[in-house]
Amino acid sequence: MLFNNVFELVSSSWKLLNKSRKFYLISPIATRRSLSVQYGNSALLTAGAKSYINKCVSLCQPDRIHICDGSADESKLLQELMLKQGTITRLTKYTNCWLARTNPADVARVESKTFICTDRKDQAIPVTPNATAGALGNWISPADMEQAVKERFPKSMRGRTMYVIPFSMGPVGSQLSKIGIEVTDSPYVVESMKIMTRVGNQVLEKLQSNGDEFVKCLHSVGTPKDRKVAVPSWPCDPERTIILHKPDSNEILSYGSGYGGNSLLGKKCFALRIGSTIAKREGWLAEHMLILGITNPKGKKIYIAAAFPSACGKTNLAMMTPTLPGYNVECVGDDIAWMKFDSEGVLRAINPENGFFGVAPGTAMSTNPNAMNTIFSNTIFTNVASTSDGGVYWEGMEEPNINNVITTDWLGKLWSKQSGKPAAHQNSRFCTPAIQCPIIDPCWEDPQGVPISAILFGGRRPKGVPLVYEARNWSHGVFIGAAMRSEATAAAEHKGKVIMHDPFAMRPFFGYNFGDYLKHWLSMEKRGRVPKVFHVNWFRKSADGKFLWPGFGDNSRVLDWIFRRVHEEDCYVDSPIGYLPSEGALDITGLQQSVDLKELFNVPNDFWQQEVNEIEQYFKTQVGEFLPKEVFNELTELKKRVNKL
Ligand code: O2Y
Ligand code: MN
């Protein structure tokens, strides 16, 4: 048990006194300060849930407890509260839409303050003589984690309400789903979790029958040491922000930030970091992947999962409107896939989430009409600009009336295009229910999951990497995932245009040693029929810096080739890096711009020799002895083929 010394103060049983509609929780701490359960039905709590809440209470010492039921009435209550506190404003142009402005120091995930806690360092990350700190995650020892918790969480909820959010990742009751309980002092987190996950009494009921097994998620926005809260409507403690994961006990503790991936603990912390460790133990995969269904003109449908690093257009691809006639794309999820072989050996995937937490800038009718048609009801916007007619604005939005309204930027200052500054923060977001997506897949909540026929890896590669190529086999596919690189994302601290390694698009999200992760991926071949693997790159540029490929809906042309390869059509040629579309196999009929296919599919000798060297160096320095020999062999084979170019 974690933090015994803190928790042993607490009696393991609760005495609940029902006083009119109120329950009073009496514990050694609570005898000093009576603690009311001001909302929710504590009778539904399991013994495990009670015990966990009790520990959080004694550690954080909130004034009140609110057990979330997931209802609309509850949302109304919290919206009113957040309006009063100034955390949100109502966006009157739309239905049930809200704008939150954060403390400007709390605007994104913070990778450098995100840790995996294991007994040994090499259980969390590959330990090598020259590893770059943080390259494949950060490790913290149990003692240091305990210290970090002791320095931050005690009394962190004094004067505040502790919200208890029972949530399901995946449809409630699916064999592929998992339950979590997030305890937080942020009503914004509650309302966002109610969009991003399935929250409420049905989850507590499920918990009664699933052996009381849940991921423990404790979150506090915290208070700075000097107690000076810079932005009272958005309390946080950026200096001491820390996000801790303990895979051994399925625990997450997050302090100091109210933002996105740091605070909506179902997402990156649970569904990816803790999720990947559970998946390893149980023999399945928790991945940073969108899931889409694509139907061809003959009415045949397949599902594809695709991993791209943050801010590479996953949401756009997941909701794509194909330009290729007769094709139809439907969205299962835009960020995370949990995939497991069924008893027939078919790899089945669910989207564990219930909403989209998408990047606003760049989202427009021209780039993603389906997202635009999703987000203007029941949505929480964060750090976008607002307009005097009760609307929102961000860069790239194509708002025709933007000159007729007064615009306020994400910092709350009057804004005009002439200011030269962005109106919305580059990592501003919409948090919106997936069910509202006009092309949500009819099977998106199928408890069995959808069958996956192809896995795509990709990234922003301005040079050298063709539009699409296919892996020769599974271990080659695993190598391609391991060797993924992309221009750096804007979501984290890494800014500027560097081509960063981002294996499997999981670099910030591995819950355990990347070398063991690779072994786990390789082992999937023994468990069932593995899908074909492809690498795509929509972002190759010509010598004069222009994109060679139009992207967006025209990516359906690439999906068409992948579709045909899944059905074993002989439409490929061999190349040193994998299989490329054969001459004429990529359908470019009706393309609105001319494309230089030769340049788009060129595999330059010098580029690939450098690439192979770079990958070798990366594996050597960052993965070292943990690299599986199969992956090393794939590198060696690629090297040989490239050197023959
Ligand atoms: O910066 C954040 O907290 C959000 S990060 C995020 C949000 C939605 C989907 N993906 C990501 C990501 O960083 O991959
Ligand atoms: Mn993501």
Side-chain angles (χ1 to χ4, degrees):
M1 185 73 62
L2 201 57
F3 316 122
N4 269 335
N5 47 353
V6 179
F7 294 145
E8 67 201 10
L9 286 166
V10 185
S11 77
S12 59
S13 65
W14 281 17
K15 289 179 200 146
L16 294 171
L17 302 177
N18 189 350
K19 276 202 183 167
S20 61
R21 264 195 78 248
K22 270 187 171 173
F23 288 95
Y24 289 89
L25 178 151
I26 314 288
S27 74
I29 295 291
T31 45
R32 209 162 26 84
R33 307 166 59 241
S34 87
L35 185 65
S36 68
V37 177
Q38 64 159 26
Y39 187 99
N41 185 358
S42 49
L44 285 175
L45 295 174
T46 57
K50 277 182 195 169
S51 154
Y52 178 55
I53 296 164
N54 215 1
K55 285 170 188 168
C56 296
V57 165
S58 72
L59 182 62
C60 305
Q61 300 193 20
D63 278 20
R64 296 163 294 275
I65 297 185
H66 172 131
I67 298 159
C68 299
D69 62 12
S71 69
D73 280 353
E74 175 184 67
S75 292
K76 251 190 185 159
L77 196 86
L78 296 183
Q79 285 155 3
E80 289 301 324
L81 175 72
M82 285 192 281
L83 279 169
K84 220 162 86 190
Q85 293 176 340
T87 309
I88 57 169
T89 52
R90 187 189 287 275
L91 293 162
T92 52
K93 191 168 171 181
Y94 320 117
T95 310
N96 191 28
C97 285
W98 310 89
L99 169 61
R101 287 196 176 92
T102 72
N103 178 322
D106 188 20
V107 291
R109 284 191 292 107
V110 273
E111 289 172 13
S112 59
K113 298 175 179 192
T114 299
F115 296 88
I116 307 293
C117 176
T118 48
D119 290 336
R120 285 195 335 268
K121 189 173 183 176
D122 68 5
Q123 293 169 308
I125 55 173
V127 179
T128 73
N130 298 313
T132 315
L136 286 162
N138 301 300
W139 173 74
I140 190 167
S141 71
D144 287 351
M145 172 160 165
E146 186 165 346
Q147 188 57 30
V149 170
K150 267 193 197 160
E151 284 169 4
R152 292 167 175 82
F153 282 94
K155 301 185 188 162
S156 67
M157 296 188 188
R158 277 258 168 116
R160 295 179 181 163
T161 301
M162 172 189 273
Y163 299 94
V164 177
I165 315 171
F167 65 96
S168 175
M169 297 311 291
V172 178
S174 163
Q175 294 292 315
L176 297 166
S177 299
K178 300 276 175 202
I179 288 174
I181 294 181
E182 176 161 353
V183 167
T184 178
D185 52 8
S186 161
Y188 166 89
V189 166
V190 176
E191 283 308 296
S192 304
M193 285 291 285
K194 282 170 74 168
I195 294 170
M196 293 306 297
T197 71
R198 283 113 175 144
V199 170
N201 292 345
Q202 72 282 18
V203 178
L204 288 178
E205 279 153 19
K206 187 72 210 159
L207 207 51
Q208 312 266 9
S209 60
N210 87 339
D212 214 357
E213 221 181 87
F214 60 93
V215 173
K216 301 178 180 78
C217 311
L218 173 58
H219 169 251
S220 175
V221 292
T223 307
K225 259 188 169 165
D226 61 7
R227 310 212 57 83
K228 286 191 187 135
V229 180
V231 181
S233 57
W234 189 273
C236 57
D237 187 0
E239 301 248 301
R240 295 194 298 157
T241 290
I242 197 160
I243 298 106
L244 302 158
H245 305 73
K246 200 152 203 271
D248 271 359
S249 51
N250 286 344
E251 272 183 282
I252 302 159
L253 289 97
S254 166
Y255 173 90
S257 163
Y259 201 88
N262 300 332
S263 67
L264 313 181
L265 301 186
K267 196 172 182 57
K268 305 297 184 183
C269 299
F270 180 165
L272 290 177
R273 297 193 192 97
I274 293 292
S276 64
T277 65
I278 299 175
K280 163 101 180 351
R281 287 200 289 272
E282 296 181 355
W284 49 278
L285 299 168
E287 300 301 327
H288 191 201
M289 290 181 178
L290 66 88
I291 309 166
L292 63 82
I294 179 162
T295 308
N296 77 358
K298 290 183 184 145
K300 261 196 175 163
K301 183 168 187 177
I302 62 166
Y303 288 92
I304 294 174
F308 303 107
S310 310
C312 272
K314 288 226 308 284
T315 307
N316 292 344
L317 183 64
M319 297 182 192
M320 162 221 278
T321 309
T323 54
L324 208 50
Y327 267 97
N328 190 33
V329 163
E330 286 160 308
C331 175
V332 176
D334 78 330
D335 198 37
I336 297 172
W338 283 359
M339 302 188 286
K340 188 176 186 177
F341 285 111
D342 67 14
S343 53
E344 250 95 78
V346 176
L347 189 63
R348 291 193 164 267
I350 60 163
N351 167 15
E353 299 191 280
N354 191 50
F356 306 120
F357 192 69
V359 183
T363 306
M365 288 310 281
S366 60
T367 59
N368 193 340
N370 289 314
M372 292 298 275
N373 290 326
T374 303
I375 61 180
F376 294 113
S377 55
N378 309 312
T379 297
I380 302 171
F381 294 90
T382 302
N383 287 344
V384 301
S386 57
T387 53
S388 52
D389 60 349
V392 289
Y393 177 73
W394 51 76
E395 277 57 42
M397 191 185 181
E398 308 149 346
E399 179 50 70
N401 290 325
I402 193 68
N403 294 322
N404 306 331
V405 290
I406 297 165
T407 305
T408 305
D409 71 11
W410 71 278
L411 292 160
K413 300 248 161 63
L414 284 186
W415 177 88
S416 71
K417 273 196 174 146
Q418 290 70 42
S419 74
K421 289 184 188 153
H425 187 274
Q426 62 180 351
N427 193 36
S428 56
R429 300 272 165 173
F430 51 79
C431 178
T432 195
I435 192 70
Q436 292 179 185
C437 177
I439 60 154
I440 198 73
D441 192 84
C443 293
W444 86 283
E445 294 196 281
D446 188 330
Q448 314 292 320
V450 296
I452 297 296
S453 299
I455 288 177
L456 275 47
F457 294 120
R460 284 179 183 267
R461 297 305 305 262
K463 288 196 189 118
V465 179
L467 180 63
V468 58
Y469 62 97
E470 180 186 332
R472 297 158 177 277
N473 52 43
W474 184 247
S475 55
H476 183 217
V478 174
F479 165 77
I480 289 171
M484 269 171 71
R485 297 174 72 201
S486 185
E487 261 185 359
T489 74
E493 310 82 318
H494 308 279
K495 288 175 190 149
K497 299 212 165 185
V498 271
I499 310 286
M500 277 175 62
H501 287 270
D502 193 348
F504 292 77
M506 284 285 282
R507 182 186 51 76
F509 309 122
F510 291 116
Y512 62 98
N513 184 316
F514 171 53
D516 295 333
Y517 171 95
L518 289 173
K519 284 174 199 136
H520 182 54
W521 261 77
L522 290 164
S523 80
M524 295 308 280
E525 201 170 15
K526 285 181 241 136
R527 294 176 191 269
R529 283 188 299 286
V530 287
K532 276 186 185 290
V533 177
F534 300 83
H535 188 282
V536 296
N537 174 28
W538 324 129
F539 302 99
R540 193 165 183 176
K541 288 181 174 169
S542 59
D544 58 358
K546 299 215 171 78
F547 285 116
L548 286 164
W549 179 249
F552 301 105
D554 285 316
N555 293 337
S556 57
R557 298 165 191 281
V558 175
L559 298 189
D560 161 65
W561 182 73
I562 289 169
F563 197 112
R564 289 185 282 132
R565 285 300 302 138
V566 163
H567 293 97
E568 299 294 350
E569 193 179 312
D570 183 7
C571 54
Y572 73 97
V573 287
D574 200 359
S575 91
I577 60 171
Y579 304 141
L580 297 170
S582 49
E583 180 121 21
L586 185 78
D587 189 343
I588 52 162
T589 48
L591 200 60
Q592 295 291 298
Q593 71 179 68
S594 66
V595 289
D596 185 342
L597 289 177
K598 218 165 162 214
E599 212 180 334
L600 204 50
F601 284 104
N602 186 23
V603 180
N605 191 337
D606 51 346
F607 174 90
W608 277 94
Q609 283 180 358
Q610 263 185 44
E611 184 74 4
V612 164
N613 289 340
E614 173 57 42
I615 297 165
E616 186 172 24
Q617 199 54 23
Y618 175 74
F619 284 168
K620 214 184 244 172
T621 52
Q622 311 302 337
V623 199
E625 58 169 319
F626 298 94
L627 189 78
K629 66 173 187 327
E630 293 89 336
V631 176
F632 181 77
N633 292 345
E634 288 295 338
L635 174 69
T636 310
E637 291 305 307
L638 175 64
K639 201 174 186 178
K640 280 190 212 155
R641 295 194 300 268
V642 164
N643 284 336
K644 271 195 229 147
L645 262 172

